[in-house]
Amino acid sequence: MNNIQINKKTMRCIIAAVLLIAGVLGGYAYYSGQTVSTDDAAIDGNTVVLSPKVQGYIKHIYVQDNQQVHAGEIVMEVDPADYETKLTTAQTALAAAQAAFDAAKHQHQETAVTAPAKVTAAEEQLKGAQAAWKKALLDKQRMTVLAQSGACAQKELDQAVAAESQTRAAAAQYEAELAAAQAAPEAIAASQSTVEQLQANVAQAQAAVTQAQRDLQHTKIVAPADGRITKRSVEAGSYVEAGTPLCTLVSQDLWVTANFKENQIKHIHPGCRVQIIVDAYPAWKLTGVVDSFQAGTGSYFSLFPAENATGNFVKITQRIPVKIKLDSLPPSAALLLGPGMSVVPTVYIKDGFL
């Protein structure tokens, strides 16, 4: 009787264990069918190599490796002395060019106003001079006739001859002045050309000042975004050329690049929720959302993509990089995470599981 009771208890335990195992396996199968995971994933982010736009000696370094900086903060400074001198020289040249332009412009404006008046005045003077000469010529002719007949003295004839000669010379002078005054349009055009040339000189000098100001401004290397400084490669006193890498800025804009197998992405789509475990900090439970898929496999964009047009071919399951945006990170986590850190993302391909 006791043996029968023991056997019944044993059977109940066995049945319960079988049901429990079946339930666990069924739950695991059901749950695993709702998620896709990979360990081929890492933190990714924007990195910017900071370099100067001008050459010179590094005068100041305001940051250390791994230091947090903010957008617009000065990281390093190239010695600005030479560029300050260039700016002063350019400003002096601009002032000289501006003064020459202002003087030429004033002269041009004065010429444009006075030239027509000079023509009118020269015409009136010429008319008066020609009238005086005609009268003197008549007087000379009359005196010559009278002198031949003995009706006037030789002295009076000489005076008439002298008067005619003087008035004729004056008329010729005024005629020349009128011709010069009538050439005013050419003079105005030449003056305008000079003004335009000097104006171009001013523009060129202004451009030189602007460039000198930019060069002076570029002696300060500033952080383009919030982030951390890494791989600083220079010290104060080092000579650098424009474009020399000085350090790298790792921005706080981080995401995950997960390389899923091509047979895993069938049910993954943008908007799927993701749970992320960081290898370095396994206690953290980060979350995110699938953002996009790379338009091609990882191997296709590698330095040496695979060439399958050969006699020997082995099919290899390819991996598709998937970008996963992280949800907002606490400041402490943002400071500890960086590109390249290994993570394990789990994508929930059906809603309601995360």
Side-chain angles (χ1 to χ4, degrees):
M1 188 69 179
N2 290 334
N3 291 334
I4 293 175
Q5 291 178 349
I6 292 174
N7 289 337
K8 287 182 178 180
K9 289 181 180 180
T10 301
M11 288 298 296
R12 291 194 189 101
C13 290
I14 293 173
I15 292 172
V18 170
L19 292 175
L20 178 61
I21 293 172
V24 170
L25 293 177
Y28 175 77
Y30 175 76
Y31 179 78
S32 61
Q34 314 305 313
T35 63
V36 179
S37 181
T38 181
D39 58 1
D40 186 0
I43 299 290
D44 210 341
N46 293 320
T47 59
V48 181
V49 177
L50 301 185
S51 58
K53 293 185 177 181
V54 294
Q55 62 186 16
Y57 291 92
I58 297 296
K59 185 176 183 180
H60 297 295
I61 297 178
Y62 301 102
V63 295
Q64 302 297 327
D65 273 333
N66 306 316
Q67 180 177 330
Q68 182 77 16
V69 295
H70 300 287
E73 184 176 341
I74 299 176
V75 176
M76 300 182 191
E77 183 178 8
V78 175
D79 190 349
D82 292 342
Y83 297 97
E84 290 172 345
T85 301
K86 290 180 180 179
L87 176 58
T88 301
T89 302
Q91 289 172 335
T92 302
L94 174 60
Q98 186 66 51
F101 168 71
D102 291 341
K105 185 178 180 180
H106 177 74
Q107 181 65 34
H108 171 68
Q109 292 173 343
E110 186 177 281
T111 301
V113 172
T114 60
K118 287 182 178 180
V119 172
T120 302
E123 289 175 344
E124 293 299 327
Q125 289 173 339
L126 178 59
K127 288 180 181 179
Q130 287 176 338
W133 172 66
K134 289 179 180 179
K135 180 179 179 302
L137 179 61
L138 292 174
D139 290 343
K140 172 186 172 183
Q141 291 173 348
R142 185 172 64 252
M143 287 298 177
T144 300
V145 173
L146 292 174
Q148 290 175 352
S149 63
C152 71
Q154 183 63 36
K155 181 179 179 180
E156 292 177 337
L157 175 60
D158 293 340
Q159 290 176 347
V161 170
E164 186 275 334
S165 177
Q166 290 175 355
T167 54
R168 184 174 72 250
Q173 180 181 353
Y174 286 126
E175 187 174 2
E177 290 179 359
L178 176 59
Q182 288 175 337
E186 291 78 4
I188 294 174
S191 177
Q192 178 65 30
S193 177
T194 300
V195 169
E196 292 174 353
Q197 181 179 355
L198 293 176
Q199 187 176 21
N201 292 344
V202 170
Q204 184 177 5
Q206 181 61 62
V209 169
T210 301
Q211 184 61 51
Q213 290 173 336
R214 288 179 179 174
D215 288 343
L216 180 59
Q217 183 181 5
H218 290 156
T219 58
K220 294 179 175 62
I221 296 95
V222 300
D226 294 347
R228 284 182 293 166
I229 297 296
T230 61
K231 298 181 66 177
R232 202 190 76 187
S233 59
V234 294
E235 298 294 338
S238 300
Y239 182 82
V240 295
E241 296 283 352
T244 302
L246 304 179
C247 59
T248 300
L249 175 69
V250 180
S251 75
Q252 294 180 346
D253 182 18
L254 302 176
W255 63 88
V256 170
T257 298
N259 300 300
F260 286 97
K261 295 179 180 179
E262 55 188 337
N263 53 16
Q264 289 182 300
I265 65 171
K266 179 179 180 181
H267 299 293
I268 300 177
H269 57 82
C272 287
R273 299 295 300 168
V274 186
Q275 186 179 65
I276 302 157
I277 297 176
V278 183
D279 287 10
Y281 307 100
W284 292 0
K285 303 297 182 183
L286 304 181
T287 58
V289 62
V290 173
D291 177 73
S292 58
F293 297 83
Q294 179 174 292
T297 65
S299 63
Y300 183 84
F301 292 101
S302 64
L303 184 60
F304 299 103
E307 176 57 63
N308 295 327
T310 61
N312 299 321
F313 169 70
V314 177
K315 185 174 182 179
I316 300 175
T317 301
Q318 301 296 314
R319 290 184 178 267
I320 310 296
V322 177
K323 181 178 180 180
I324 300 171
K325 283 188 175 180
L326 296 171
D327 293 337
S328 58
L329 297 172
S332 57
L335 289 176
L336 295 176
L337 293 178
M341 297 181 68
S342 298
V343 296
V344 179
T346 300
V347 180
Y348 292 82
I349 59 179
K350 290 190 177 181
D351 297 333
F353 283 85
L354 182 61

